[in-house]
Amino acid sequence: MSAGHDDHGSGGLDLTLHIWRQESSEAQGRFETYPLHDVSPDMSFLEMLDVLNEQLVREGREPVEFDHDCREGICGSCGVMINGQAHGPDRETATCQLHMRRFKSGETIFIEPFRARAFPVLRDLVVDRSAFDRIMSKGGFVSVNTGAARDANSILIPKENADLAMDAAACIGCGACVAACPNAAAMLFVGAKISHLGLLPQGRPERSRRVLAMVAQMDAEGFGNCGNIYECEAACPKAISVENIARLNRDYLIASATERPPTASGGGA
Amino acid sequence: MMSRCQVFLRSSIGKKLLMALTGLFLIGFLVAHLAGNLTLFVDADGGAMAVYAQKLADLGPLLWIAEVGLFVLFVVHLGLGMRAAMENREARPARYKDTAPKGGRSPASVTMIATGVVILLFLIVHLIDFRLVDGLFAHPEPATLAKVVVERLSSPLGAAIYFFGMVALGVHLWHAFQSALQTLGLRHPAYDKSIKCVGAVLAVGVAGLFAAFPVLCLIYKGDWPWS
């Protein structure tokens, strides 16, 4: 635990970092080694990288590029592979919420970008996750009039559906599921999105169309096939359940069998 | 314009669903095959197995249809598995330096391709041993089938091939059953544990009983102490 450690004293950690450096998407990447001394155990993992970067800048070297934004585990920007684990060793924890007290002095840490064909490395630890945005643009929304807010109880929602939808809505789209999957599949992400929207009355009208379009885009992006290995669930900082993948499979099968295109003459007499 | 069915079967989920269905049918075949095989232990002279084999042979054209159907099931299952494996490799062109599991995977789930390939190799040997002895278009002679089986399985090499083939089958089945149901969308906290349990019983039961054949043949050479 952190108690008793002096941030600037002898309680700091001495670490050897092996960090993936890559100038651009096209460039050949490689690991570079950086010793880092006297790291406070109270720092977050990203703060540790900040300290490294300050040191690199002082030395006139290029800082390590990494994605981050909220630093409180809700934006989904900051995923990296830490010693072969998406977001590092802790469960239900994004990289920004991982603390250095989890590591021992003298430890060697390998830091790599999330790797998948659909997530090309842009620079160092930064990957392009716009494949997720393109999947969302195919149906990860509800087309309703967003005018005046309705009365909270005007649409009845079963408690268990509301709970399941909220659990799925916890997905922050960080991509750890893809990164941790041995097959680089995006099924947990897509499963979470179709569950979050499809379980609620507002998302129901588009449930079939949504799942068909989002799966088509997921396949087009070049993600792998789900092997039901469940490493995604274990790596997810929000503990999204693989039950959502079963719902995705189910919805896709039903939608494939029952979805019918809208007709111009349809409706009314 | 692709038909609705084509779109479905070309999607990652459609392919997986077909793989799950063919896999479940193959599990059904395994159970029936195992039940038939158990006739070997009924008597020492192979009479029960001869009766069983004769009954199968008497099915005539139906047996051929069943065999072709089984072959198609197997080829589809294998083909989809190989294709998925290749696509999955392409989905991650740059490998990680090292990966450490966070608790999702099992030894069975990450070796499905490896155990599948071992089962394929085993099947080739198995078909050469027992199905193709009199050529592709003739079924083996029912009267002497038990003798042929015991002869093959009581040699140390034969016993080893059949034993380890069944170990691979057991590991494959350990993941297969619950994975197939997950792909079919059958998952619910109320019956998650039951599905895992049935999968485990199937894996250990089917592979274990099949593996008993080489072990018992090696020990008793067909002269069963209980018959």
Side-chain angles (χ1 to χ4, degrees):
Chain A
M1 294 305 291
S2 61
H5 279 300
D6 176 0
D7 281 6
H8 307 288
S10 57
L13 309 173
D14 292 332
L15 302 168
T16 306
L17 306 172
H18 296 284
I19 302 180
W20 185 261
R21 303 303 306 261
Q22 185 171 335
E23 274 75 39
S24 67
S25 304
E26 293 75 35
Q28 187 82 28
R30 77 256 159 229
F31 278 103
E32 281 191 10
T33 306
Y34 304 96
L36 197 59
H37 300 292
D38 204 20
V39 175
S40 162
D42 296 331
M43 278 183 196
S44 75
F45 199 82
L46 296 185
E47 284 166 338
M48 181 274 292
L49 289 178
D50 291 337
V51 169
L52 171 71
N53 277 346
E54 281 169 18
Q55 183 180 308
L56 289 176
V57 169
R58 272 200 304 276
E59 292 165 4
R61 296 157 76 187
E62 279 292 318
V64 177
E65 296 272 349
F66 61 94
D67 258 335
H68 63 102
D69 189 13
C70 74
R71 298 208 177 195
E72 53 186 17
I74 55 171
C75 76
S77 307
C78 66
V80 292
M81 292 298 272
I82 301 164
N83 287 337
Q85 293 181 310
H87 292 300
D90 286 343
R91 278 205 171 218
E92 295 184 43
T93 305
T95 304
C96 61
Q97 304 257 285
L98 174 67
H99 283 78
M100 296 315 295
R101 66 181 78 99
R102 194 66 171 73
F103 299 90
K104 289 188 201 75
S105 198
E107 203 167 323
T108 297
I109 306 175
F110 279 87
I111 310 170
E112 276 183 270
F114 284 176
R115 295 194 190 278
R117 186 174 57 157
F119 286 172
V121 173
L122 294 175
R123 192 180 167 95
D124 298 342
L125 304 174
V126 179
V127 298
D128 177 2
R129 282 171 292 189
S130 55
F132 272 9
D133 300 336
R134 289 188 291 274
I135 294 174
M136 289 302 278
S137 73
K138 293 293 173 185
F141 48 77
V142 175
S143 314
V144 291
N145 181 358
T146 53
R150 288 150 202 227
D151 182 75
N153 294 322
S154 65
I155 303 172
L156 297 179
I157 303 171
K159 170 83 166 82
E160 50 287 13
N161 281 13
D163 288 349
L164 288 172
M166 275 303 284
D167 287 347
C171 168
I172 53 177
C174 65
C177 46
V178 174
C181 174
N183 304 340
M187 293 282 281
L188 192 66
F189 170 75
V190 179
K193 297 307 172 190
I194 65 104
S195 298
H196 147 210
L197 297 166
L199 284 167
L200 298 174
Q202 296 89 338
R204 272 211 172 253
E206 292 162 297
R207 188 167 177 171
S208 291
R209 218 178 313 158
R210 175 184 302 120
V211 71
L212 294 175
M214 288 180 80
V215 167
Q217 189 62 35
M218 173 184 83
D219 289 349
E221 294 291 347
F223 291 104
N225 301 282
C226 178
N228 301 325
I229 293 166
Y230 310 144
E231 209 47 58
C232 52
E233 181 185 81
C236 177
K238 299 295 157 189
I240 305 287
S241 164
V242 292
E243 205 183 320
N244 293 295
I245 295 180
R247 187 175 297 105
L248 173 59
N249 290 327
R250 205 157 61 218
D251 275 16
Y252 187 75
L253 174 63
I254 293 168
S256 296
T258 61
E259 167 70 359
R260 54 179 72 198
T263 56
S265 61
Chain B
M1 189 71 188
M2 280 196 289
S3 77
R4 179 177 291 239
C5 196
Q6 275 174 309
V7 172
F8 179 74
L9 291 178
R10 282 180 189 205
S11 71
S12 57
I13 295 181
K15 282 182 283 183
K16 284 281 307 173
L17 193 102
L18 199 55
M19 203 159 150
L21 283 178
T22 50
L24 288 177
F25 277 115
L26 287 169
I27 290 178
F29 161 73
L30 279 177
V31 173
H33 185 6
L34 177 62
N37 280 16
L38 289 172
T39 56
L40 182 71
F41 297 132
V42 171
D43 44 30
D45 63 2
M49 184 168 252
V51 171
Y52 166 67
Q54 188 58 52
K55 283 222 160 79
L56 277 185
D58 290 345
L59 291 173
L62 285 180
L63 183 60
W64 285 105
I65 292 170
E67 282 191 314
V68 170
L70 187 60
F71 182 74
V72 170
L73 276 182
F74 190 80
V75 168
V76 169
H77 190 75
L78 180 84
L80 287 171
M82 290 297 160
R83 191 174 159 167
M86 282 190 290
E87 287 172 351
N88 294 344
R89 277 193 77 82
E90 284 170 20
R92 179 164 293 132
R95 320 301 294 177
Y96 289 114
K97 190 197 165 287
D98 191 22
T99 49
K102 236 169 159 173
R105 67 188 71 183
S106 73
S109 70
V110 290
T111 53
M112 288 302 273
I113 293 298
T115 50
V117 168
V118 173
I119 293 167
L120 171 67
L121 295 176
F122 167 81
L123 256 180
I124 293 170
V125 173
H126 181 52
L127 288 176
I128 292 171
D129 280 349
F130 299 130
R131 175 59 186 81
L132 303 173
V133 270
D134 296 321
L136 178 61
F137 299 104
H139 290 105
E141 173 57 40
T144 55
L145 187 56
K147 192 167 157 279
V148 174
V149 171
V150 171
E151 229 170 63
R152 176 68 176 138
L153 294 192
S154 52
S155 77
L157 179 66
I161 291 173
Y162 279 79
F163 183 82
F164 288 108
M166 289 308 101
V167 171
L169 179 71
V171 175
H172 199 77
L173 288 181
W174 186 268
H175 179 65
F177 184 71
Q178 62 87 19
S179 176
L181 294 198
Q182 162 85 357
T183 300
L184 291 171
L186 300 172
R187 189 186 186 97
H188 190 285
Y191 50 76
D192 267 358
K193 279 214 174 83
S194 311
I195 288 176
K196 277 212 180 102
C197 198
V198 170
V201 168
L202 260 177
V204 175
V206 170
L209 282 171
F210 270 126
F213 284 82
V215 173
L216 292 174
C217 285
L218 194 62
I219 298 171
Y220 297 114
K221 317 276 181 210
D223 193 13
W224 319 120
W226 55 83
S227 66

